[in-house]
Amino acid sequence: MAELREKAHLRDSGVLFTAGERAHCASRPDPDASLAGLFAAKEAFVKALSSSAATGPTPAYTFPEIEVVHGPAGQPRLRLHGDLARWCGERGILGELSISHSGGMAGAVVVLLAEPTTSGGHL
């Protein structure tokens, strides 16, 4: 969290976060903690996707293409954009997300889910 506070160019430039993510976090009691949680979520998604041997190489992406949005009860959800969204959609890949932050630390867990393929296989 301290690193995000110190590196405003990463926090505010659109390199890591969408305008919607920045606006959501600005409305929270500790905006930097919320942004750190979103960054952890994006990293968790990338790591989960890259660790699945069945998916093959992913298309090029930027972090804003992995957007964290919130449902009516505040639950975090992943919304993908661009080629990454299309690629995951073609493979029936969905991600479930949990984010936590406390005491200057943030973490996230992403579980990938996939629909059966035409051959009956899964991720």
Side-chain angles (χ1 to χ4, degrees):
M1 289 182 218
E3 193 170 346
L4 279 174
R5 283 187 191 100
E6 296 166 5
K7 296 183 178 181
H9 65 284
L10 292 177
R11 184 185 62 220
D12 302 330
S13 67
V15 170
L16 298 177
F17 306 106
T18 66
E21 289 170 325
R22 293 191 308 272
H24 172 80
C25 291
S27 74
R28 308 302 302 157
D30 187 346
D32 289 328
S34 294
L35 285 168
L38 298 190
F39 183 75
K42 292 172 186 234
E43 280 193 319
F45 175 76
V46 168
K47 288 177 181 175
L49 199 58
S50 67
S51 69
S52 176
T55 62
T58 59
Y61 61 87
T62 62
F63 265 16
E65 291 176 270
I66 305 164
E67 183 177 19
V68 178
V69 297
H70 294 82
Q75 67 276 31
R77 299 282 184 245
L78 292 166
R79 178 184 295 157
L80 304 177
H81 301 278
D83 289 339
L84 186 59
R86 195 168 20 268
W87 186 87
C88 287
E90 289 168 355
R91 288 158 179 75
I93 298 171
L94 304 171
E96 290 294 329
L97 170 62
S98 178
I99 302 173
S100 181
H101 49 78
S102 179
M105 302 292 286
V109 174
V110 170
V111 175
L112 294 181
L113 308 170
E115 297 174 4
T117 63
T118 55
S119 63
H122 294 274
L123 270 181

